[in-house]
Amino acid sequence: MATKLYSGTRNASSWAMRAWLALKEAGVAFEEEVVDIRPPQRFANLARIGGFSPPAAVPVLVVDGETIFDSLAIMEYANELAGGRLLPAAPLDRARARSVLAWQHSGLSGICGLISFESAFYPDKRALTRRERAECDRLFAFLEGCLARSGGPYLFGELSLPDLALVPTVVRLTSHAPDFGRWPLTLAWTKALLSRPHVAWWMDEARKQPHVWYDVYLAVPADDA
Ligand SMILES: N[C@@H](CCC(=O)N[C@@H](CS)C(=O)NCC(=O)O)C(=O)O
């Protein structure tokens, strides 16, 4: 079976990271092409991807000539190839896990709006805003509940897709020093995720890249400082 992942610049493509991690954790063998999504080559590269994948975005997985686009579809496919072990076995738990995936995929209530994935690699970080701190607390309270219920070390016990989908969020937030004071299980979970070999490998590669700067990072409204 010929399997090729078109993935993205390591310090810029959080969506590609999710798909890549799921394939790696599922033990799927694949060829990879890192598509440079930084300007100015971004537009030509994405136009090329658009030639075989309707959203013209990465990640895209091509399996024996069939195109699977969108990170979530690729993650679900990886789970199927792994015999389903990257989602909980019980239907209700699997539905709860998919709720987390859906929440992440639809924007996590805007928690990462101004904290781009790229910003995790900036040498100087700004402080989290009031709204970002509040959203962190909301997310961390939810994660803490999952971890208390499952007994850890991951959200649903064993590693599953929701953990992997949240890795780029963990990267963004932990690099901005959020307050884990009330969330010890969540802190342990972030450490467990960041020390997984595939996550560590991606992060090492990402740190070698030149920064991708966005001015909007510093554009914090005065009433949200
Ligand atoms: N929902 C898509 C989002 C993919 C996405 O936005 N990818 C970015 C890179 S991380 C991209 O290729 N963007 C193209 C663009 O900005 O035009 C997924 O989960 O795969």
Side-chain angles (χ1 to χ4, degrees):
M1 193 175 274
T3 303
K4 179 167 178 177
L5 178 71
Y6 293 85
S7 95
T9 311
R10 305 277 186 219
N11 63 346
S13 184
S14 55
W15 296 110
M17 185 186 193
R18 294 181 175 95
W20 185 92
L21 280 177
L23 291 166
K24 288 285 182 188
E25 294 286 359
V28 177
F30 62 95
E31 184 194 340
E32 183 185 10
E33 178 180 327
V34 176
V35 179
D36 193 336
I37 62 165
R38 292 166 299 189
Q41 60 277 19
R42 159 190 192 86
F43 302 103
N45 280 343
L46 292 176
R48 179 167 64 90
I49 298 295
F52 57 89
S53 179
V58 289
V60 183
L61 191 70
V62 179
V63 183
D64 287 345
E66 297 291 345
T67 299
I68 304 167
F69 55 85
D70 199 288
S71 60
L72 188 50
I74 298 170
M75 294 179 87
E76 290 273 4
Y77 179 65
N79 173 56
E80 291 196 17
L81 293 184
R85 70 175 160 79
L86 288 176
L87 281 175
L92 205 46
D93 288 341
R94 211 158 52 243
R96 290 173 51 231
R98 286 195 168 112
S99 289
V100 181
L101 286 171
W103 188 23
Q104 187 284 313
H105 211 64
S106 55
L108 270 183
S109 312
I111 195 168
C112 294
L114 290 177
I115 321 170
S116 67
F117 187 60
E118 290 87 338
S119 73
F121 304 96
Y122 295 162
D124 297 316
K125 308 284 194 308
R126 66 162 170 78
L128 293 175
T129 68
R130 192 166 38 80
R131 181 168 172 269
E132 286 162 352
R133 290 195 302 273
E135 288 297 334
C136 270
D137 276 348
R138 190 147 75 108
L139 175 63
F140 291 170
F142 166 74
L143 298 173
E144 196 79 5
C146 285
L147 291 162
R149 182 169 168 179
S150 73
Y154 295 104
L155 295 177
F156 293 88
E158 297 300 313
L159 182 81
S160 67
L161 295 185
D163 300 297
L164 299 175
L166 288 169
V167 167
T169 306
V170 164
V171 167
R172 286 164 139 115
L173 296 181
T174 55
S175 66
H176 284 80
D179 182 2
F180 282 108
R182 284 181 290 159
W183 323 116
L185 302 177
T186 304
L187 177 59
W189 169 81
T190 63
K191 287 182 177 164
L193 278 178
L194 293 175
S195 63
R196 289 194 74 85
H198 293 308
V199 175
W201 186 90
W202 180 289
M203 291 298 291
D204 284 346
E205 293 298 306
R207 287 188 198 98
K208 292 178 198 160
Q209 302 296 321
H211 303 139
V212 184
W213 176 255
Y214 292 116
D215 289 337
V216 70
Y217 177 66
L218 296 177
V220 175
D223 63 351
D224 193 18

